[in-house]
Amino acid sequence: MDQIETGIVTTIAAHGLHGRGERFRAVVQDGAYAVAIVDGTARISYVSPSMAGLSGYAPEELEGQIGFDFVAPDSLELATDHFASVVASPGRTDT
């Protein structure tokens, strides 16, 4: 898990944001963290507005794309292995 993912999980847990609409939106939609929601095939269905400043891509450019298309070739195997592990264990929390 990278620093961004760790920060998101920590923030959500520390502030009791999971399942609390307004506060969760404040972190995800209005926060500085880059958040993406993907399905089991890594297709991106949501990207937070902050992604534009971090990646150079507007959310609408990423939504509908496969997330692995944006991973550097030398990191692709690690990313796909980690993703497969997460998909295989729904509800799992990494710390």
Side-chain angles (χ1 to χ4, degrees):
M1 181 180 295
D2 65 24
Q3 289 178 326
I4 291 172
E5 291 171 318
T6 301
I8 292 167
V9 170
T10 301
T11 301
I12 290 170
H15 297 286
L17 298 174
H18 184 68
R20 298 210 166 94
E22 186 176 315
R23 289 191 295 169
F24 184 77
R25 277 188 296 281
V27 170
V28 173
Q29 292 179 341
D30 302 328
Y33 294 113
V35 176
I37 298 174
V38 300
D39 66 14
T41 66
R43 185 165 305 278
I44 302 167
S45 61
Y46 172 81
V47 178
S48 64
S50 62
M51 183 66 82
L54 296 170
S55 71
Y57 293 100
E60 57 272 8
E61 292 178 273
L62 298 172
E63 291 168 355
Q65 302 296 318
I66 300 297
F68 296 123
D69 292 345
F70 300 92
V71 176
D74 60 335
S75 299
L76 190 57
E77 182 177 359
L78 177 63
T80 56
D81 288 350
H82 182 71
F83 185 77
S85 173
V86 170
V87 169
S89 303
R92 178 182 108 188
T93 302
D94 287 341
T95 57

